[in-house]
């Protein structure tokens, strides 16, 4: 590798995306890159010529280790979709003139579906113009909904956080309740795919029964069935814990979080207020069964909890970053690095490449056969798939009792 | 110690309450107790003669270590306030007849203010009747609002979780936002005392600016001032993070979470819906400033996150449990064990005893001088107080990627 590299991050933060950045940086330096630039806030920042020289930020091996343990997106993220090439060629000319100015041999973008769309368009444009820069995609999303790769970096750490937190919530519930029923509804991310909510089943083991019900967004949600199941469970036990995806929908396609049970909640400006999925279900339970309820949204902690990252996830994130640099250096472009699972037990994986045209804008959902027939749990096959991805820990570097991160030093 | 011991847990779960149970058990066995019973769900279970023999549950040293790492309340908790002695002597006679049947020499109750009220009444009754059983209280609450003790076991671990999670949320916020303002409001437990919300300041360090504003429940909350401060902050930076106590109130005493900005949110049964504190403030911001907002409730994870427990907290919880057994064995009764801080740096503490009559039903709040003059942050003195309590980690015993707990084996 003789020229320079530029790398960017895009889409929702994860606990592992900075480990991919570390993998890109370290491999680029090892392979002789002169400069490794980082786009600030992805392609949106690059269009404003907002970038940094990463060697000013990552100066020691300890910096690399801190970066691997730093959640969110060190470079800043964006949600910016490039226009189609034929619609706005000026934007492309601008990007390529900046790349030329910086003598960029390789452009790496770490992200999900939208980011792979960016790689696709930029590599198409380069081929169209005979431009030598290589464009490579590195997968990242807690949602695990990218096609062609066995799983996405970021998912394993989110799954570990969800399994652990749901187990703690179950402990909390069973301690509280002696003779009255309590239904706890835990709302988990994942608008269209049940990979995250299914990870609640990881809490199950000989020391914990796991949640009683798990509702994925892949199947239509039937509120009457839900009420019946809860009544049955409350007849047997004093507390019930339910994990629901934020994206569950009725058979008619309406999101549960958009329902208002016939009563419009309207604010001072006359806007209809959306209630959360868990809050809506809790209200229905209170109204129709009269049981005690509480709702817990795992919220953005799911994607930012680097203190509970999975070692496998952080290592694989680092590897896919490095594999992208290697591929570019060997002449590949318009490809996304994927993870191939070689075996479950012992778990082994490797990296490979797939053409981004085949990747982008296809959402991978949980297969029907990995959801129980009645649609209220995931199967053992699902658990066998996710279990290897949460193995091992990455001990945070604790300073004064709190995890330390790599940060942008103020000048 | 020649007779038997019985121990119970009461009030809200914490990450450290089972470490106190472990301390009680281990010290009782070491001092020669014949049997160590555990009340199921505190005094409420005891009244139903619902108790276990702890030696059937804690059989090995590994069991003790697992118990120290198990969140919530191994024995089950309750919220049950004993009647006044003169109002209902039959209840007391019943409790004492059960204690006599079990040959209880020492009764230990781990809990907060209400639990100390239980110890007070039972020890008063014993003295009144010349009954030999000793009654000792072991402090526990994440709220840290018990009087006379420097701090309460459970608080340090909750503070560590809050400091760490708020830091992760700040990372998440700054990654997301490039050129538009985002206000994140994090709602933290503590109805009347700001010890927990103040711990959000622990996120501050050379690698993190900490939250921009912290609102404790000790001072009246002024919504107009709040809106002005947010506007000022958004003029300077792209994202703002605010930590608010769930218990903040207006100058007229109304809780912010009870406000509905002139619009009643009424459900199908005509019941007024309460909105959360953070949700209310976010709605006001959206209405009056028009900025993007999001709300995050740290919820019961604050009190159940044993995977991020503070080592100091878990050790001290164990010690106060042991100290209660020792005190009873030496003839003390009607006392609560307290923690005395000997020095901040290096941190040193010891245990002592205080008469429960002086403890119960007094709430300890954050001193005014530990809150900044404008009421929107905690001072360095506050941080110096809490910092030692979050030091050190207790590595979870991970089995298949998830923390393992001690559990009730099914027979």
């Amino acid at each position: 590798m003789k020229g320079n590299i530029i790398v960017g991050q895009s889409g929702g933060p994860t606990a592992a995306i900075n480990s991919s950045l570390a993998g890109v940086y370290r491999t680029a330096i090892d392979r002789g890159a002169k400069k490794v630039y980082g786009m600030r806030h992805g392609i949106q920042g690059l269009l404003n010529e907002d970038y940094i020289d990463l060697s000013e930020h990552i100066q020691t091996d300890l910096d690399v280790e801190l970066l691997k343990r730093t959640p969110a997106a060190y470079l800043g993220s964006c949600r910016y979709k490039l226009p189609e090439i034929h619609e706005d060629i000026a934007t492309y000319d601008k990007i390529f003139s900046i790349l030329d100015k910086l003598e960029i041999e390789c452009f790496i973008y770490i992200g999900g579906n939208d980011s792979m769309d960016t790689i696709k368009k930029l590599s198409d444009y380069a081929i169209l113009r005979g431009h030598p820069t290589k464009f490579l995609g590195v997968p990242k999303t807690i949602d695990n909904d990218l096609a062609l790769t066995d799983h996405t970096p970021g998912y394993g750490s989110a799954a570990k956080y969800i399994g652990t937190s749901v187990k703690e919530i179950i402990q909390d519930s069973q301690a509280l309740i002696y003779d009255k029923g309590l239904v706890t509804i835990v709302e988990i991310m994942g608008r269209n795919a049940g990979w995250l909510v299914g990870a609640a089943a990881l809490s199950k083991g000989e020391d914990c029964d796991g949640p009683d019900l798990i509702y994925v967004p892949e199947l239509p949600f039937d509120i009457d069935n839900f009420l019946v199941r809860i009544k049955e469970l409350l007849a047997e036990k004093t507390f019930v814990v339910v994990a629901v995806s934020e994206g569950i929908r009725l058979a008619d396609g309406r999101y549960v979080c958009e329902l208002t049970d016939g009563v419009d909640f309207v604010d001072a400006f006359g806007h209809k207020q959306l209630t959360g999925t868990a809050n809506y279900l809790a209200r229905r339970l209170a109204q129709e069964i009269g049981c005690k309820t509480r709702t817990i949204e795992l919220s953005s902690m799911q994607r930012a909890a680097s203190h509970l990252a999975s070692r496998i996830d952080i290592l694989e994130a680092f590897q896919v970053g490095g594999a992208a640099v290697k591929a570019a250096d060997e002449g590949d472009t318009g490809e996304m690095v994927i993870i191939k699972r070689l075996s479950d037990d012992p778990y082994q994986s490797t990296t490979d490449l797939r053409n981004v045209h085949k990747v982008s804008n296809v959402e991978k959902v949980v297969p029907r056969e990995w959801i129980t027939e009645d649609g209220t749990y995931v199967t053992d096959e699902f658990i066998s798939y996710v279990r290897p991805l949460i193995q091992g820990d990455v001990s945070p570097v604790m300073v004064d009792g709190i995890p330390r991160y790599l940060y942008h030093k103020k000048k």
Side-chain angles (χ1 to χ4, degrees), chain A:
Chain A
M1 178 156 282
K2 288 167 192 153
N4 299 328
I5 280 194
I6 193 161
V7 53
Q9 298 171 313
S10 168
T14 80
I17 188 171
N18 286 330
S19 186
S20 288
L21 178 62
V24 167
Y25 179 78
R26 177 48 67 84
T27 309
I29 295 297
D30 288 352
R31 294 181 83 94
K34 280 190 296 189
K35 288 270 187 193
V36 184
Y37 293 106
M39 308 168 215
R40 298 270 298 128
H41 294 278
I43 195 82
Q44 196 182 2
L46 185 67
L47 279 164
N48 296 327
E49 298 194 50
D50 192 359
Y51 51 81
I52 58 176
D53 180 345
L54 271 170
S55 66
E56 291 173 9
H57 291 248
I58 308 171
Q59 297 176 332
T60 65
D61 288 347
L62 177 60
D63 287 345
V64 173
E65 288 305 316
L66 284 177
L67 183 57
K68 284 160 77 174
R69 288 160 172 80
T70 300
Y74 184 79
L75 296 173
S77 186
C78 68
R79 295 192 184 280
Y80 187 89
K81 197 158 178 163
L82 278 180
E84 296 300 326
I85 296 173
H86 64 270
E87 283 172 353
D88 180 8
I89 216 149
T91 294
Y92 289 84
D93 286 340
K94 184 168 181 191
I95 291 170
F96 277 80
S97 76
I98 297 166
L99 297 182
D100 285 340
K101 196 174 88 180
L102 296 176
E103 298 173 12
I104 299 301
E105 183 178 330
C106 165
F107 176 111
I108 291 177
Y109 215 39
I110 312 168
N113 275 319
D114 287 348
S115 311
M116 296 312 134
D117 183 75
T118 297
I119 287 295
K120 182 181 73 177
K121 287 170 176 163
L122 291 174
S123 61
D124 283 355
Y125 184 83
I127 291 164
L128 211 70
R129 304 288 284 254
H131 195 281
T133 299
K134 313 296 180 208
F135 295 85
L136 272 294
V138 173
K140 170 268 1 166
T141 165
I142 63 164
D143 293 325
N144 198 38
D145 59 355
L146 273 181
L148 302 186
T149 184
D150 178 77
H151 56 277
T152 52
Y155 172 59
S157 295
K160 190 180 182 91
Y161 181 83
I162 290 165
T164 300
S165 295
V166 168
K167 191 166 177 176
E168 290 170 344
I169 289 165
I170 292 169
Q171 286 286 120
D172 187 81
S173 300
Q174 72 187 14
L176 284 178
I177 289 300
Y178 187 45
D179 51 10
K180 278 176 286 184
L182 169 68
V183 180
T184 303
I185 304 178
V186 187
E187 184 174 319
I188 294 171
M189 284 181 169
R191 198 77 173 168
N192 299 312
W195 300 109
L196 290 171
V197 74
L202 290 167
S203 60
K204 201 171 173 173
E206 60 188 35
D207 58 338
C208 178
D209 292 335
D212 297 286
L213 301 166
I214 295 176
Y215 289 104
V216 297
E218 280 85 352
L219 299 181
F221 181 79
D222 183 316
I223 291 183
D224 293 329
N225 274 354
F226 169 72
L227 293 170
V228 168
R229 289 302 300 270
I230 296 289
K231 266 188 217 167
E232 289 168 359
L233 285 161
L234 284 174
E236 288 165 27
K237 52 191 298 195
T238 55
F239 71 97
V240 173
V241 177
V242 184
V244 294
S245 157
E246 62 180 357
I248 53 171
R249 273 169 289 187
L250 304 185
D252 64 15
R254 280 179 300 159
Y255 282 105
V256 170
C257 65
E258 290 174 340
L259 304 177
T260 53
D261 42 316
V263 186
D264 273 349
F265 289 73
V266 177
D267 72 13
F269 288 78
H271 302 135
K272 201 163 96 174
Q273 295 282 300
L274 294 183
T275 173
T277 302
N279 281 335
Y280 174 78
L281 294 177
R283 214 163 58 220
R284 286 295 297 267
L285 285 174
Q287 286 166 359
E288 308 204 12
I289 302 185
C291 57
K292 203 167 172 245
T293 62
R294 63 171 179 165
T295 60
I296 297 174
E297 292 177 29
L298 291 191
S299 189
S300 67
M301 280 94 80
Q302 291 164 84
R303 64 184 186 207
S306 60
H307 74 270
L308 199 64
S310 146
R311 185 164 197 85
I312 287 283
D313 188 31
I314 297 299
L315 288 179
E316 287 186 336
F318 190 88
Q319 285 164 0
V320 292
V325 175
K326 178 168 178 284
D329 196 19
E330 292 174 352
D332 290 305
T333 188
E335 306 271 338
M336 178 179 87
V337 179
I338 62 149
I339 299 173
K340 267 176 80 171
R341 185 184 302 231
L342 301 176
S343 71
D344 269 339
D345 191 11
Y347 175 72
Q348 292 182 26
S349 69
T350 186
T351 59
D352 204 344
L353 299 176
R354 289 291 179 275
N355 189 315
V356 277
H357 284 89
K358 292 187 182 155
V359 178
S360 49
N361 302 322
V362 179
E363 271 181 335
K364 185 181 70 177
V365 297
V366 178
R368 180 62 186 89
E369 62 272 23
W370 286 6
I371 305 162
T372 56
E373 207 173 318
D374 69 354
T376 65
Y377 227 82
V378 290
T379 65
D380 289 346
E381 287 80 5
F382 180 96
I383 294 174
S384 300
Y385 164 83
V386 63
R387 181 73 74 183
L389 311 182
I390 66 161
Q391 296 301 312
D393 310 303
V394 186
S395 49
V397 178
M398 299 302 261
V399 175
D400 246 0
I402 297 282
R404 172 56 53 106
Y405 306 144
L406 190 69
Y407 66 104
H408 297 259
K409 277 106 188 159
K410 278 152 193 147
K411 280 171 191 162

